[in-house]
Amino acid sequence: MTALDKSVQEAAVEHEDLEHADNDKTPLGHGRMLRKEDPRFIRGMGRYVDDLQLNGMLHLAILRSPVAHANIVSIDVSAAQAHPKVKAVITGADLAAQGLAWMPTLSNDVQAVLATDRVRFQGQEVAFVVAEDRYSARDALELIDVEYDVLPPVVDVRKALAPDAEVIRTDLEGKKDNHCFDWETGDKDATEAVFAKADVVVKQDIVYPRVHPAPMETCGCVADYERVSGQLTLWTTSQAPHAHRTVYALVSGLPEHKIRVIAPDIGGGFGNKVPIYPGYVCAIVASLVIGKPVKWMEDRTENLVSTGFARDYVMQGEIAATKEGKILAIRTHVLADHGAFNGTAAPIKYPAGFFGVFTGSYDLEAAYCSMTAVYTNKAPGGVAYACSFRITEAVYLVERIVDCLAYELEMDPVELRKKNFIQPDQFPYTTKTGWVYDSGDYERAMDVALEMAGYDDLRREQEEKRAKGELMGIGVAFFTEAVGAGPRKDMDILGLGMADGSELRVHPTGKAVLRVSCMSQGQGHETTFAQIVAEEIGIPVADIQVVNGDTDQTPFGLGTYGSRSTPVSGAAAALVARKVRDKAQIIASGMLEVSVADLEWQKGSFQVKGDPGRSVTIQDIAMRAHGAGDLPEGIEGGLEAQICYNPSNLTYPFGAYICVVDIDPGTAEVKVRRFVAVDDCGTRINPMIIEGQVHGGLTDGIGMALMEMISFDEDGNCIAGSLMDYLIPTALETPHWETGHTVTPSPHHPIGAKGVGESATVGSPPAIVNAVVDALKPYGIRHADMPLTPSRVWDAMQGHPTPPI
Amino acid sequence: MQVTMTVNGESVTREVEGRMLLVHFLRDELGLTGTHWGCDTSNCGTCVTWMDGEPVKSCTVLAAMAGGREVRTVEGLEKDGVLDPVQEGFMRCHGLQCGFCTPGMMLTARALLDRNPHPTEQEIREAISGQICRCTGYTTIVRSILWAAEHPDGPTPAAAEPETAGSAS
């Protein structure tokens, strides 16, 4: 059996197993295992922020700007204040008097908590009401009278820097235009030289429209300030409780040790719950002022129009190649729409996130990117929706333009990709933009995907269908991600290094508690992290409790986003377990009266080498560590440890995706018939959970490629403010996902795991768009922009594909 | 106004505003927080409950409209400590991740299986098409419901333990 056959067989076996997932038979570590979280969720006993009821709790609602750009002339809150159930009405002027009207964003910009002088996007926070119940709070919003002097909005990103464009950020001293930042990477001159000598140059404008993570649970919090103790507790929808605590301390002036941030169960995050939103700060202020707990839960419209969006990149791509299909260089210029405030949540030295991996999975001679980011009258944000810090945009650009090259060369897209893959013996591979890919075997993953899809048969079927006038498309995409931010020498958010803490305590009876700094929003950390520890220390998974999401109970760390939980916190969990095991080995040596070197680890116990009859279990050791009697010299009692893991490099998961679509020639509706996803995320801890992560990301891909877009009219009105307008895939648009995998461990991660949370969101949009464009080949279409709704596909079929913005 | 209804088999009476939504009645008045709120526009389905045996979106039903009716929520799926096969299915087939859409999905699934004990995959997809899951991509939800259809009496005794990684070993 060849390696490929074996991979395909493994993938098939995995698929079979998933049909009847059940517990792994050896619950001492990695493997398929049902989730610890689920018994509470299936009983409706999850505990989300809005489920919290505290004595005397009040409700907060926010008045938002109805227009995109305007000066505030006056605000009259008297009628609202007179409402019998209203406890407080607060405006920007009130906050300004306390120095709280502005807060830092995660990108070192500032954002208005409540607008003072001017509103800069539709939906911006203008005032808030605190009332006895949520209905009364909303009623009172209607009683606030705001007079606006409307200004021309900057909506079209291409016109943001026009000389006559209204300046949005008048709050920034000396600001005379809407320029946000410039950024470049790669070697401009070297790239130009390579382009000059190339046989073929293909240029393509590519738009990645603004989309929104839209988790099923919107954002919200309960702030509870106790005046006597000076303690603030904030239950909140946060993917990064520790980072949030620090920011709240800086904004509010409360000492950090008096702030406790608790993220309870989170109803999906996808990056939407990384930023700090004005609503959280409003609730904190309200509780400080009133001295009672205050709940704020935004509604769906507020979520869609005001919280962290994603993408919004207008890209000009260029690719240079030989006529035989050897890719030489890629060059791009990006116009980035950052909205009214730069609220991007990315490592501070990376204003464009990790877009620098736009060189993809290919061995190039040169690459260059320049970027201009601008302010517009739209909601702030930019990095969200499982985007891996802009890798989604980068992968879409490269995988789309490689397909454009294939189109021009009349070459099969698989053949073109294979011809240019970075080869296994080239790893670690330094890209022309300076990223050091850790490990990979790209061709193998591609071959597994081709086998699973039956690629050659699909092409034959397509040929037959084309002859009959039917529209069938086959899309191929290959991605490499950079996740697990990150080495703290390079990566921080607001000065906080992106390392993660982990603490493990083994109790006397051998049961354990692991405390981690990252925070699950549905990824199953309580299970996966227990498995990581179980694998290292041999305590059954069921005996390990994972605590996360509470800053008073967990060590410091930067949170869960950018697929960093397993690469960073997962590494911390493995290493803290090894640290405990090392101590256990010393205690075992005392118990067995042999030297440490004479012991060998059998998962769950230390045994004297060559004498299997003499061993002690980890549970025996735990009791001894806490019990009466002597311990080896210099060893303290207890069996626990804490570490902070600072990754030496990012990890680089990859995958090969193949999508098959059928397009109705009469209605231009796209149906995703099949989708084959082969992922390589290194060591696989719980294949069932990995599979679930991949499925979810693939569905995001269908959403973005075919349906989702946060769009605006010319006045800056957001016209995707409900789930009737912002369409999310249902079970009917979604195919039965077909998944497979290869395993190429990361060489520097303690257990070789690479992270997988965003892989499919990154990899699936280009596969789907490539499939649609492939289906439209008979119409002479080389490119069409997302979202490929029936009307937009229809336009393409009529010969005029238009960009969505 | 005063409203009386049966919720999960128990009669409840409360004084409420006429405009109070059923979802808020269940969550805020009765503390049954397994029913979630997600969109206001009947699109997401996290608020699905049963009214007289039919799934409804409780964000677009007034509490007053449920007066005299029988309401069933996710908290009423488990009977005498025995999980509904749908609950078992979701747990065994990884039919959930964040858990937010799960109560509504399970109630719709139960209603489907009650009138169609052996649905096809397509029938399942149609039944849950008024609800959104942002995590799972639906394949595992379909699988979970198929599991429940195949196991109308729940798991076989031999497979009953251990259920999850969290159960005692």
Side-chain angles (χ1 to χ4, degrees), chain A residues 35 42 48 135 139 729 731, chain B residues 19 24 87 97-98 125 138:
Chain A
R35 302 197 320 165
I42 56 157
Y48 305 89
Y135 286 29
D139 288 344
Chain B
R19 62 175 172 170
H24 289 141
Q87 292 172 298
Q97 289 180 31
C98 81
R125 286 180 179 273
Y138 305 104

Side-chain angles (χ1 to χ4, degrees), chain B residues 103-163:
Chain B
M105 288 285 183
M106 292 192 304
L107 284 160
T108 299
R110 180 74 269 150
L112 168 70
L113 295 178
D114 282 354
R115 69 171 187 272
N116 178 1
H118 303 290
T120 64
E121 172 170 344
Q122 186 59 25
E123 286 170 337
I124 291 172
R125 286 180 179 273
E126 282 169 14
I128 61 172
S129 66
Q131 285 159 265
I132 298 171
C133 172
R134 208 61 164 145
C135 296
T136 66
Y138 305 104
T139 293
T140 55
I141 292 180
V142 172
R143 240 178 239 161
S144 302
I145 298 170
L146 284 171
W147 189 95
E150 289 161 10
H151 299 81
D153 301 318
T156 55
E161 293 289 337
E163 293 306 343

Side-chain angles (χ1 to χ4, degrees), chain A residues 337-393:
Chain A
D337 187 339
H338 278 244
F341 307 101
N342 186 8
T344 299
I348 215 84
K349 289 179 197 160
Y350 296 82
F354 298 167
F355 187 79
V357 300
F358 69 90
T359 55
S361 313
Y362 311 109
D363 186 22
L364 307 181
E365 290 182 14
Y368 177 69
C369 168
S370 62
M371 180 178 295
T372 302
V374 298
Y375 293 114
T376 62
N377 288 115
K378 299 173 194 167
V383 171
Y385 205 167
C387 81
S388 268
F389 295 132
R390 303 281 192 194
I391 289 172
T392 320
E393 291 92 318

Side-chain angles (χ1 to χ4, degrees), chain A residues 19 74 116 166 169 282 324 354 367 401 452 455 502 507 649:
Chain A
E19 298 290 340
S74 64
T116 49
E166 192 76 26
R169 296 301 301 278
C282 292
E324 292 80 23
F354 298 167
I401 201 155
M452 284 177 64
Y455 186 73
S502 184
H507 299 320
N649 186 12

Side-chain angles (χ1 to χ4, degrees), chain B residues 23 26 35-38 42 44-49 56-60 104:
Chain B
V23 64
L26 294 169
T35 302
H36 298 142
W37 169 89
S42 290
C44 81
T46 62
C47 65
V48 164
T49 57
V56 295
K57 286 175 174 167
S58 62
C59 77
T60 32

Side-chain angles (χ1 to χ4, degrees), chain A residues 227-284:
Chain A
R227 282 181 177 161
V228 176
S229 62
Q231 173 83 31
L232 171 71
T233 306
L234 187 76
W235 289 265
T236 180
T237 48
S238 172
Q239 295 177 224
H242 289 278
H244 281 194
R245 183 190 61 197
T246 303
V247 175
Y248 292 132
L250 296 172
V251 171
S252 70
L254 291 173
E256 198 170 0
H257 70 294
K258 293 283 192 181
I259 302 175
R260 180 181 184 186
V261 176
I262 300 172
D265 287 326
I266 302 287
F270 319 109
N272 190 232
K273 291 164 181 171
V274 175
I276 289 176
Y277 296 119
Y280 303 147
V281 179
C282 292
I284 291 170

